[in-house]
Amino acid sequence: MLAVSNGPKIGAANAEPLAKVFGSFVLCYENQAACEDTIIFPAWKKNFSNKQLDEISDQFEDIEHKMFGKDGFDDAEKKISSLEGALGFADLSQFTPPPPPTPKN
């Protein structure tokens, strides 16, 4: 991804392979998110008390601040939002399929 997207434009010869790489990334991300939502996070909540979860959350926030500064997450979110806007991806509804039709009785 980085090698192909490093220049000012993506060549036509690289468009399809790059699209396939992005498709693979999306599939990987969707599987990981589903695993987190259905297995990992429920297991955490089951095996830790609320106090322990709060302590873990504080530790993660401390790590975030050490790595990215006091407003690291907020700064990253602003940068990503700016990039999404510049690329025309700011409105996620354009990528969201409509809900399935409700069955008629």
Side-chain angles (χ1 to χ4, degrees):
M1 280 191 257
L2 294 176
V4 171
S5 63
N6 197 21
K9 291 185 177 182
I10 296 171
N14 292 322
E16 187 175 339
L18 185 59
K20 287 181 180 179
V21 169
F22 283 138
S24 296
F25 174 78
V26 168
L27 180 62
C28 176
Y29 183 84
E30 289 172 337
N31 287 330
Q32 179 63 31
C35 180
E36 289 171 355
D37 290 345
T38 59
I39 299 169
I40 296 170
F41 294 142
W44 274 53
K45 290 178 181 178
K46 179 180 167 188
N47 289 296
F48 291 103
S49 69
N50 285 339
K51 182 180 180 204
Q52 289 172 314
L53 289 171
D54 287 342
E55 290 170 357
I56 292 169
S57 176
D58 290 342
Q59 289 175 0
F60 281 130
E61 192 166 340
D62 288 343
I63 292 168
E64 173 195 325
H65 291 165
K66 286 177 187 172
M67 293 183 72
F68 304 111
K70 183 176 181 282
D71 296 321
F73 178 82
D74 294 329
D75 290 344
E77 186 177 38
K78 287 175 189 171
K79 286 178 187 176
I80 291 168
S81 292
S82 175
L83 287 170
E84 289 174 340
L87 295 170
F89 299 145
D91 180 12
L92 293 180
S93 67
Q94 66 182 324
F95 305 108
T96 306
T102 53
K104 296 183 183 195
N105 295 332

